[in-house]
């Protein structure tokens, strides 16, 4: 007993040792994050890939490094990059269009980052992550970076780490960031809260004119592109005309911009120049309006609260006492004797009480 001391002494020694380990882990995380940030700043694509893997990780030690890394990358001084979100239903040709547009931008001297979000299986949790296969030419370009990421069940078409990935890509010197969403329908709206411009890709003959006035994704679009205008010329013209009529019924979300609708083809490159010139014109108007800084600030604030919701739910699920209490209520919910909403309120109240 004299050798190890009493119980109180042992607790003090353990507490100090634990604090020492935490300080060491923090120092190591900072050093590793600093090395990665320096590699990203130099334009090392391997460092950028490792950095994005880090911000996507759910491990506690990786999260500490990720926070350090994102903070360091936000301090890198670069010209403001153009953040463009692209969405559309499956089969509209998002990857084909992005590769064609990306190769055109690379040819003009731009550095292009493509952050593509793939849907995760609701049963297995896995994702195909096949965007690099579909963008073979762009993936091989030294001036481009293509990174597919799993959605992991996040609604809204993007992953929880997408905004952090954008910050890392911008620190790496990529002046155009294209964010491709999962693309499953009218709910793909979260990406509009993290980009400067939102582009909706539409297939020819994909729906009647009333489809255009649905509240949701249509009213958030700054530019609509009717794809496959080479193979389906007449349907593409009709669809463009219908969408242009629908846009007149919607209130523009920007004071300086009325949404445009353009036909284009990624295969024949028809109107790709016009699409890019329209995008540049939009950013000229955005710059002139003086709203760019306020828009970015609002996005950061909105994403902060989104992350708060995500972290609270995650910590609730990991809290053993709350989980035990929730399991005691599940039988009542399953039997129908307790409404789901009441049970949920009791679980949250118990979690807040314990914390």
């Amino acid at each position: 007993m004299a050798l190890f001391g009493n119980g109180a002494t042992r607790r003090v020694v353990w507490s100090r040792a634990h604090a020492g380990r935490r300080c060491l882990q923090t120092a190591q995380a900072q050093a590793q994050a600093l090395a990665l940030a320096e590699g990203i700043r130099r334009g090392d694509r391997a460092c950028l890939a490792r950095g994005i893997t880090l911000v996507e990780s759910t491990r506690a030690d990786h999260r500490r490094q990720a926070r350090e890394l994102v903070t360091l990358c936000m301090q890198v001084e670069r010209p403001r990059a153009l953040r463009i979100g692209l969405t559309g239903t499956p089969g509209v040709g998002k990857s084909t269009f992005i590769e064609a547009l990306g190769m055109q931008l690379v040819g003009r001297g731009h550095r292009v980052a493509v952050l593509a979000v793939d849907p995760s299986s609701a049963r297995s949790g896995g994702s195909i992550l096949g965007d690099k296969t579909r963008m073979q030419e762009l993936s091989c370009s030294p001036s481009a970076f293509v990174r597919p990421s799993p959605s992991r069940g996040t609604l809204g078409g993007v992953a929880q780490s997408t905004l952090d990935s954008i910050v890392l890509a911008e620190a790496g010197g990529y002046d155009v960031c294209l964010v491709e969403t999962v693309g499953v329908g009218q709910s793909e709206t979260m990406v509009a809260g993290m980009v400067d411009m939102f582009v909706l890709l539409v297939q020819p003959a994909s729906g009647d004119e009333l489809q255009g006035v649905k509240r949701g994704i249509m009213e958030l679009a700054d530019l609509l592109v009717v794809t496959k205008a080479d193979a389906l010329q007449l349907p593409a013209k009709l669809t463009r005309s219908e969408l242009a009529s629908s846009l007149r019924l919607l209130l523009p979300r920007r004071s300086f911009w009325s949404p445009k609708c353009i036909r284009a083809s990624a295969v024949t490159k028809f109107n790709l120049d016009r699409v890019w010139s329209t995008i540049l014109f939009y950013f000229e108007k955005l710059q002139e309006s003086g709203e760019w800084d306020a828009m970015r600030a609002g996005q950061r604030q909105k994403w902060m609260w989104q992350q708060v919701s995500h972290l609270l739910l995650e910590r609730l699920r990991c809290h053993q006492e709350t989980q035990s209490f929730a399991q005691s209520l599940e039988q009542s919910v399953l039997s129908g004797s307790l409404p789901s909403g009441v049970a949920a309120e009791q679980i949250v109240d118990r979690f807040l009480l314990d914390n």
Side-chain angles (χ1 to χ4, degrees):
M1 289 296 293
L3 179 61
F4 295 101
N6 57 29
T9 303
R10 286 197 299 271
R11 284 194 295 271
V12 170
V13 172
W14 180 88
S15 178
R16 289 177 178 174
H18 182 65
R21 283 196 298 272
R22 289 190 64 180
C23 289
L24 179 60
Q25 290 172 352
T26 301
Q28 290 175 341
Q30 290 174 340
Q32 292 169 351
L34 185 60
L36 263 183
E38 181 58 28
I40 291 172
R41 189 191 64 79
R42 293 196 311 266
D44 188 329
R45 292 199 296 179
C47 286
L48 177 56
R50 287 199 297 271
I52 293 178
T53 299
L54 197 63
V55 300
E56 290 177 349
S57 177
T58 57
R59 279 177 44 175
D61 57 332
H62 287 175
R63 286 189 172 182
R64 284 193 294 269
Q65 294 180 39
R67 286 194 294 268
E68 293 286 343
L69 178 61
V70 174
T71 302
L72 290 169
C73 286
M74 288 184 69
Q75 298 169 358
V76 176
E77 293 187 4
R78 297 280 191 189
R80 181 175 283 170
L82 309 184
R83 300 177 181 178
I84 304 168
L86 299 102
T87 191
T89 56
V92 74
K94 292 189 295 295
S95 297
T96 305
F97 180 84
I98 289 172
E99 180 175 46
L101 181 63
M103 289 305 299
Q104 183 185 82
L105 298 182
V106 166
R108 296 185 177 190
H110 292 282
R111 298 190 70 212
V112 181
V114 179
L115 304 174
V117 182
D118 266 13
S120 296
S121 169
R123 297 181 62 185
S124 67
S127 297
I128 297 176
L129 303 179
D131 292 277
K132 293 188 77 170
T133 303
R134 292 193 290 268
M135 303 182 198
Q136 292 184 9
E137 191 176 0
L138 188 61
S139 298
C140 295
S141 172
S143 297
F145 177 81
V146 180
R147 172 66 182 234
S149 298
S151 67
R152 293 178 177 169
T154 303
L155 298 177
V158 293
Q160 284 291 339
S161 59
T162 300
L163 187 57
D164 290 338
S165 299
I166 292 174
V167 171
L168 267 57
E170 291 178 348
Y174 293 93
D175 59 333
V176 178
C177 289
L178 305 177
V179 182
E180 179 189 349
T181 73
V182 170
V184 292
Q186 291 277 344
S187 66
E188 304 301 284
T189 57
M190 193 181 293
V191 68
M194 63 176 66
V195 296
D196 305 315
M197 185 180 194
F198 189 40
V199 180
L200 176 63
L201 305 183
V202 185
Q203 288 196 89
S206 58
D208 58 23
E209 187 174 359
L210 291 177
Q211 194 75 12
V213 298
K214 282 188 177 180
R215 298 296 175 187
I217 195 168
M218 285 290 298
E219 64 182 1
L220 295 177
D222 300 303
L223 173 63
L224 283 77
V225 178
V226 181
T227 61
K228 305 178 183 179
D230 56 324
L232 302 168
Q233 294 185 19
L234 182 58
K237 290 180 180 179
L238 291 174
T239 299
R240 187 218 163 269
S241 177
E242 290 172 353
L243 290 174
S245 299
S246 299
L247 289 174
R248 298 190 190 100
L249 304 177
L250 298 175
L251 291 174
R253 70 176 183 138
R254 310 287 190 203
S255 61
F256 59 87
W257 181 258
S258 296
K260 307 292 189 290
C261 188
I262 302 173
R263 293 181 298 123
S265 169
V267 176
T268 64
K269 311 299 186 289
F270 168 69
N271 261 357
L272 282 186
D273 285 335
R274 186 179 173 192
V275 169
W276 181 242
S277 63
T278 303
I279 291 174
L280 289 180
F281 184 56
Y282 169 88
F283 278 101
E284 288 176 10
K285 291 293 185 181
L286 176 58
Q287 181 70 38
E288 293 172 1
S289 71
E291 297 180 16
W292 206 342
D293 289 333
M295 181 193 300
R296 289 278 179 98
Q299 290 172 354
R300 290 193 295 270
Q301 181 187 43
K302 183 179 180 181
W303 200 246
M304 177 191 73
W305 286 110
Q306 179 69 30
Q307 291 291 77
V308 167
S309 301
H310 173 72
L311 289 172
L312 281 175
L313 182 59
E314 191 175 74
R315 292 185 182 182
L316 186 150
R317 286 172 174 166
C318 295
H319 194 259
Q320 292 183 352
E321 289 80 1
T322 304
Q323 284 301 304
S324 299
F325 178 69
Q327 289 172 7
S328 69
L329 297 179
E330 283 182 353
Q331 198 59 43
S332 299
V333 173
L334 289 171
S335 65
S337 61
L338 182 66
S340 301
V342 174
E345 188 173 345
Q346 291 180 10
I347 291 170
V348 172
D349 289 344
R350 180 61 177 268
F351 176 70
L352 295 176
L353 183 66
D354 291 341
N355 290 272

Coordinates of all heavy atoms in Angstrom, one line a residue, residues 38-81:
E38 N 0.3 22.2 -44.8 CA 1.4 22.7 -45.6 C 1.4 22.0 -46.9 O 1.6 22.6 -48.0 CB 2.7 22.5 -44.8 CG 3.9 23.0 -45.6 CD 3.9 24.5 -45.9 OE1 3.2 25.2 -45.2 OE2 4.5 24.9 -46.9
G39 N 1.2 20.7 -46.9 CA 1.1 19.9 -48.2 C 0.0 20.4 -49.0 O 0.1 20.5 -50.3
I40 N -1.2 20.6 -48.4 CA -2.3 21.1 -49.2 C -2.0 22.4 -49.8 O -2.4 22.7 -51.0 CB -3.6 21.1 -48.3 CG1 -4.0 19.7 -47.9 CG2 -4.7 21.9 -49.0 CD1 -5.1 19.6 -46.9
R41 N -1.4 23.3 -49.0 CA -1.1 24.7 -49.5 C -0.2 24.6 -50.7 O -0.3 25.5 -51.6 CB -0.5 25.5 -48.4 CG -0.3 27.0 -48.7 CD 0.5 27.7 -47.6 NE 1.9 27.1 -47.6 CZ 2.8 27.4 -48.5 NH1 2.6 28.3 -49.5 NH2 4.0 26.9 -48.4
R42 N 0.7 23.6 -50.7 CA 1.7 23.5 -51.8 C 1.0 22.9 -53.1 O 1.6 22.9 -54.1 CB 2.8 22.6 -51.4 CG 3.8 23.1 -50.4 CD 5.1 22.3 -50.3 NE 4.8 20.9 -50.3 CZ 4.8 20.2 -49.2 NH1 4.9 20.8 -48.0 NH2 4.5 18.9 -49.2
G43 N -0.2 22.4 -52.9 CA -0.9 21.8 -54.1 C -0.7 20.4 -54.2 O -1.0 19.8 -55.3
D44 N -0.3 19.7 -53.1 CA -0.1 18.2 -53.2 C -1.4 17.6 -53.1 O -2.1 17.6 -52.1 CB 0.8 17.8 -52.0 CG 1.2 16.4 -52.0 OD1 0.4 15.6 -52.6 OD2 2.3 16.0 -51.5
R45 N -1.8 16.9 -54.2 CA -3.1 16.2 -54.3 C -3.2 15.1 -53.3 O -4.3 14.8 -52.8 CB -3.4 15.8 -55.7 CG -3.6 16.9 -56.7 CD -4.3 16.5 -57.9 NE -3.6 15.5 -58.7 CZ -4.0 14.9 -59.8 NH1 -5.2 15.2 -60.3 NH2 -3.3 14.0 -60.5
A46 N -2.1 14.4 -53.0 CA -2.2 13.3 -52.1 C -2.5 13.8 -50.7 O -3.3 13.2 -49.9 CB -0.8 12.5 -52.1
C47 N -1.9 14.9 -50.3 CA -2.2 15.6 -49.0 C -3.7 16.0 -48.9 O -4.3 15.9 -47.9 CB -1.3 16.7 -48.7 SG 0.4 16.3 -48.3
L48 N -4.2 16.5 -50.0 CA -5.6 17.0 -50.1 C -6.5 15.7 -49.9 O -7.5 15.8 -49.1 CB -5.9 17.7 -51.4 CG -7.3 18.1 -51.6 CD1 -7.8 19.0 -50.5 CD2 -7.5 18.8 -52.9
A49 N -6.2 14.6 -50.6 CA -7.0 13.4 -50.4 C -6.9 12.9 -49.0 O -8.0 12.5 -48.4 CB -6.4 12.4 -51.4
R50 N -5.8 12.9 -48.4 CA -5.7 12.5 -47.0 C -6.4 13.4 -46.0 O -7.0 13.0 -45.1 CB -4.2 12.4 -46.6 CG -3.5 11.2 -47.2 CD -2.2 10.9 -46.4 NE -1.2 11.9 -46.4 CZ -0.3 12.1 -47.3 NH1 -0.2 11.2 -48.3 NH2 0.6 13.1 -47.3
G51 N -6.4 14.7 -46.4 CA -7.1 15.7 -45.5 C -8.6 15.5 -45.6 O -9.3 15.5 -44.6
I52 N -9.1 15.2 -46.8 CA -10.6 15.0 -46.9 C -11.0 13.7 -46.2 O -12.0 13.6 -45.6 CB -11.0 15.0 -48.4 CG1 -10.8 16.4 -49.0 CG2 -12.4 14.5 -48.6 CD1 -11.1 16.5 -50.5
T53 N -10.1 12.6 -46.3 CA -10.4 11.4 -45.6 C -10.4 11.7 -44.1 O -11.3 11.1 -43.4 CB -9.2 10.4 -45.9 OG1 -9.2 10.1 -47.3 CG2 -9.5 9.1 -45.1
L54 N -9.6 12.6 -43.6 CA -9.5 12.9 -42.2 C -10.8 13.6 -41.8 O -11.4 13.2 -40.7 CB -8.3 13.8 -41.9 CG -7.9 13.9 -40.5 CD1 -7.4 12.6 -39.9 CD2 -6.8 15.0 -40.4
V55 N -11.3 14.5 -42.5 CA -12.6 15.3 -42.1 C -13.8 14.4 -42.3 O -14.8 14.6 -41.7 CB -12.7 16.6 -42.9 CG1 -11.6 17.5 -42.7 CG2 -13.0 16.3 -44.4
E56 N -13.7 13.3 -43.1 CA -14.8 12.4 -43.2 C -14.8 11.3 -42.1 O -15.9 10.7 -41.9 CB -14.7 11.7 -44.6 CG -15.1 12.6 -45.8 CD -14.9 11.9 -47.1 OE1 -14.4 10.7 -47.1 OE2 -15.3 12.4 -48.1
S57 N -13.7 11.1 -41.4 CA -13.6 10.1 -40.4 C -14.5 10.4 -39.2 O -14.7 11.6 -38.8 CB -12.1 9.9 -40.0 OG -12.0 9.0 -39.0
T58 N -14.9 9.3 -38.6 CA -15.8 9.5 -37.4 C -15.0 9.2 -36.1 O -15.5 9.2 -35.0 CB -17.0 8.6 -37.4 OG1 -16.6 7.2 -37.6 CG2 -17.9 9.0 -38.6
R59 N -13.7 8.8 -36.2 CA -12.9 8.5 -35.1 C -12.6 9.8 -34.3 O -12.3 10.9 -34.9 CB -11.6 7.9 -35.5 CG -11.7 6.4 -35.7 CD -10.4 5.8 -36.2 NE -9.2 6.2 -35.5 CZ -8.0 5.8 -35.7 NH1 -7.8 4.8 -36.6 NH2 -7.0 6.2 -35.0
A60 N -12.6 9.7 -33.0 CA -12.4 10.9 -32.1 C -11.0 11.5 -32.3 O -10.9 12.8 -32.4 CB -12.5 10.5 -30.6
D61 N -9.9 10.7 -32.5 CA -8.6 11.3 -32.7 C -8.5 12.0 -34.1 O -7.9 13.0 -34.2 CB -7.5 10.2 -32.5 CG -7.7 9.1 -33.4 OD1 -8.9 8.8 -33.8 OD2 -6.7 8.4 -33.8
H62 N -9.2 11.4 -35.0 CA -9.2 12.0 -36.4 C -10.0 13.3 -36.4 O -9.6 14.2 -37.1 CB -9.8 11.0 -37.4 CG -8.9 9.9 -37.7 ND1 -9.3 8.8 -38.5 CD2 -7.6 9.6 -37.4 CE1 -8.3 8.0 -38.7 NE2 -7.3 8.4 -38.0
R63 N -11.0 13.3 -35.6 CA -11.8 14.6 -35.5 C -11.0 15.7 -34.9 O -11.1 16.9 -35.4 CB -13.1 14.3 -34.7 CG -14.1 13.5 -35.5 CD -15.4 13.5 -34.7 NE -16.4 12.9 -35.5 CZ -17.7 12.7 -35.2 NH1 -18.1 13.2 -34.0 NH2 -18.6 12.2 -35.9
R64 N -10.2 15.4 -33.9 CA -9.3 16.5 -33.4 C -8.4 17.0 -34.4 O -8.2 18.2 -34.6 CB -8.5 15.9 -32.2 CG -9.3 15.8 -30.9 CD -8.4 15.5 -29.7 NE -7.8 14.2 -29.8 CZ -8.3 13.1 -29.3 NH1 -9.4 13.1 -28.7 NH2 -7.6 12.0 -29.4
Q65 N -7.8 16.1 -35.2 CA -6.9 16.5 -36.3 C -7.6 17.3 -37.4 O -7.1 18.3 -37.9 CB -6.2 15.3 -36.9 CG -5.2 14.6 -36.0 CD -4.6 13.4 -36.7 OE1 -4.3 13.4 -37.8 NE2 -4.5 12.3 -35.9
A66 N -8.8 16.8 -37.7 CA -9.6 17.5 -38.7 C -10.0 18.9 -38.3 O -9.9 19.8 -39.2 CB -10.9 16.7 -39.0
R67 N -10.3 19.1 -37.1 CA -10.6 20.5 -36.6 C -9.4 21.4 -36.8 O -9.5 22.5 -37.2 CB -11.1 20.5 -35.2 CG -12.5 19.9 -35.0 CD -13.1 20.2 -33.6 NE -12.3 19.6 -32.5 CZ -12.6 18.4 -32.0 NH1 -13.7 17.7 -32.5 NH2 -11.9 17.8 -31.1
E68 N -8.3 20.9 -36.4 CA -7.0 21.7 -36.5 C -6.7 21.9 -38.0 O -6.4 23.1 -38.4 CB -5.8 20.9 -35.9 CG -5.9 20.7 -34.4 CD -5.6 22.0 -33.7 OE1 -5.0 22.9 -34.3 OE2 -5.9 22.1 -32.5
L69 N -6.9 20.9 -38.8 CA -6.6 21.1 -40.3 C -7.5 22.1 -40.9 O -7.0 23.0 -41.7 CB -6.8 19.7 -40.9 CG -6.5 19.7 -42.5 CD1 -5.1 20.1 -42.8 CD2 -6.8 18.3 -43.0
V70 N -8.8 22.0 -40.7 CA -9.8 22.9 -41.3 C -9.5 24.4 -40.9 O -9.5 25.3 -41.6 CB -11.2 22.5 -41.0 CG1 -12.2 23.6 -41.5 CG2 -11.5 21.2 -41.6
T71 N -9.2 24.5 -39.6 CA -8.8 25.9 -39.0 C -7.6 26.4 -39.7 O -7.6 27.6 -40.1 CB -8.6 25.8 -37.5 OG1 -9.7 25.3 -36.9 CG2 -8.3 27.2 -37.0
L72 N -6.6 25.6 -39.9 CA -5.4 26.1 -40.6 C -5.6 26.4 -42.1 O -5.1 27.4 -42.6 CB -4.3 25.0 -40.5 CG -3.7 24.8 -39.1 CD1 -2.8 23.5 -39.1 CD2 -2.8 26.0 -38.7
C73 N -6.5 25.6 -42.7 CA -6.7 25.8 -44.2 C -7.6 27.0 -44.4 O -7.5 27.7 -45.4 CB -7.4 24.6 -44.8 SG -6.3 23.2 -45.0
M74 N -8.4 27.4 -43.4 CA -9.2 28.6 -43.5 C -8.3 29.9 -43.5 O -8.7 30.9 -43.9 CB -10.3 28.7 -42.4 CG -11.4 27.7 -42.6 SD -12.7 27.9 -41.3 CE -13.4 29.4 -41.8
Q75 N -7.2 29.7 -42.9 CA -6.2 30.8 -42.8 C -5.3 31.0 -44.0 O -4.6 32.0 -44.1 CB -5.4 30.7 -41.5 CG -6.2 30.6 -40.2 CD -5.4 30.2 -39.0 OE1 -4.2 29.9 -39.1 NE2 -6.0 30.1 -37.8
V76 N -5.4 30.1 -44.9 CA -4.6 30.2 -46.1 C -5.2 31.3 -47.0 O -6.4 31.2 -47.3 CB -4.5 28.8 -46.9 CG1 -3.8 29.0 -48.2 CG2 -3.9 27.8 -46.0
E77 N -4.4 32.2 -47.4 CA -4.9 33.3 -48.3 C -4.8 32.9 -49.7 O -3.8 32.6 -50.3 CB -4.0 34.6 -48.0 CG -4.1 35.2 -46.6 CD -3.4 36.5 -46.5 OE1 -2.8 37.0 -47.5 OE2 -3.4 37.0 -45.4
R78 N -6.0 32.8 -50.3 CA -6.2 32.5 -51.7 C -7.2 33.4 -52.3 O -8.1 33.9 -51.6 CB -6.6 31.0 -51.9 CG -5.7 30.0 -51.4 CD -4.6 29.7 -52.4 NE -3.8 28.5 -52.0 CZ -2.7 28.2 -52.6 NH1 -2.2 28.9 -53.6 NH2 -2.1 27.1 -52.3
P79 N -7.2 33.6 -53.7 CA -8.3 34.3 -54.3 C -9.6 33.5 -54.1 O -9.5 32.3 -54.1 CB -7.9 34.3 -55.8 CG -6.4 34.2 -55.8 CD -6.1 33.3 -54.6
R80 N -10.6 34.2 -54.0 CA -11.9 33.6 -53.7 C -12.3 32.6 -54.8 O -12.4 33.0 -56.0 CB -13.0 34.6 -53.5 CG -14.4 34.0 -53.2 CD -15.4 35.1 -52.9 NE -15.2 35.7 -51.6 CZ -15.8 36.8 -51.2 NH1 -16.6 37.4 -52.0 NH2 -15.6 37.2 -50.0
A81 N -12.5 31.3 -54.5 CA -12.9 30.3 -55.5 C -14.4 30.4 -55.8 O -15.2 30.9 -55.0 CB -12.6 28.9 -54.9

